[in-house]
């Protein structure tokens, strides 16, 4: 299932809030590949649809153009997991396709840029944006080069935490594959979106990462179905 496809821009690293043309670049040798996320139209439903993004610039465009809302629960969201059916329920997860890192306790005013700089130095593609609550809070979406399972997702999250070192203080909820990442902006704050269009993060194939390969697998709380 897909929605209206975002325009596929070709860019390496840019902080937006500017013209989408700023996403463009002629260098495709080190750019990202296609990946699939689940999209939820707002937080009052558990209904999701699968959306294939041709590359990271397309995801950045999707985040950039998410409609502003004064109600956080009314925000559009993405999930780095795929489901058997159209309900975002933990028992329905079939594959994990991305990590969504939530930095709700930024170290300082430079934390966003420091996290971005580390991932860029490691050659890991990502899309980062300030969150609806703002006050320096931000999130980083790191799609995977290939789908994986719950253990593979846990291993990927721990790898990212280790990679970020002193800047890897993202919330525990980031370890939950089914965690909804709101992407709509709060109109009270200036929108900030940063993309680094590079190869996607390599993760263990499904069935190859045992739980003891990861420091921990964050528990996924049960969530009742919510109808529209």
């Amino acid at each position: 299932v897909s929605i209206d496809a975002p325009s596929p821009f070709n860019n390496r690293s840019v902080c937006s809030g500017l013209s989408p043309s700023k996403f463009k670049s002629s260098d495709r040798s080190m750019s990202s590949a296609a990946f699939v996320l689940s999209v939820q139209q707002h937080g009052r439903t558990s209904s999701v649809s699968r959306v294939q993004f041709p590359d990271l610039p397309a995801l950045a465009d999707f985040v950039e153009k998410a409609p502003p809302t004064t109600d956080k629960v009314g925000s559009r969201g993405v999930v780095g997991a795929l489901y058997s059916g159209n309900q975002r329920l933990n028992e329905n997860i079939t594959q994990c396709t991305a990590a969504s890192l939530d930095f709700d306790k930024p170290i300082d005013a430079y934390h966003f840029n420091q996290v971005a700089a580390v991932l860029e130095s490691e050659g890991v593609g990502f899309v980062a944006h300030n969150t609806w609550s703002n006050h320096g809070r931000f999130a980083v979406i790191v799609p995977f080069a290939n789908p994986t399972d719950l253990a593979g997702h846990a291993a990927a999250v721990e790898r990212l935490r280790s990679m970020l070192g002193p800047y890897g203080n993202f919330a525990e909820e980031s370890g939950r594959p089914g965690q909804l990442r709101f992407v709509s902006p709060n109109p009270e704050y200036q929108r900030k979106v940063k993309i680094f269009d590079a190869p996607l993060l390599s993760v263990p194939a499904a069935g190859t990462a045992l739980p003891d390969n990861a420091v921990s697998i964050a528990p996924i709380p049960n969530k009742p179905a919510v109808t529209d």
Side-chain angles (χ1 to χ4, degrees), residues 25-118:
S25 168
S26 60
D27 182 6
R28 297 298 292 164
S29 62
M30 295 296 289
S31 58
S32 55
F35 53 91
V36 182
L37 301 177
S38 292
V39 171
Q40 190 167 306
Q41 293 303 315
H42 54 77
R44 295 185 175 87
T45 178
S46 290
S47 296
V48 293
S49 59
R50 294 187 181 189
V51 178
Q52 178 167 314
F53 294 91
D55 50 24
L56 282 167
L59 175 60
D61 188 43
F62 179 83
V63 173
E64 176 77 18
K65 294 180 178 178
T69 178
T70 57
D71 174 17
K72 180 178 180 179
V73 182
S75 172
R76 182 175 293 168
V78 297
V79 186
L82 304 183
Y83 299 86
S84 57
N86 65 349
Q87 293 296 306
R88 186 174 66 89
L89 298 173
N90 298 321
E91 59 268 28
N92 291 350
I93 293 177
T94 59
Q95 293 180 321
C96 302
T97 59
S100 180
L101 310 181
D102 186 12
F103 293 85
D104 56 6
K105 295 181 179 179
I107 297 171
D108 53 34
Y110 307 102
H111 197 179
F112 182 105
N113 291 335
Q114 290 163 331
V115 168
V118 171

Side-chain angles (χ1 to χ4, degrees), residues 2 9 12 15 18 20 22 29 69 71 75-76 89 91 119 152 160 169 175 181-182 196 213 215 217 224:
S2 64
F9 301 135
R12 292 307 306 280
C15 197
L18 306 173
K22 295 292 184 180
S29 62
T69 178
D71 174 17
S75 172
R76 182 175 293 168
L89 298 173
E91 59 268 28
L119 294 178
L160 288 166
N169 65 327
R181 163 46 43 208
F182 289 123
F196 181 57
N213 294 138
V215 173
I217 297 180

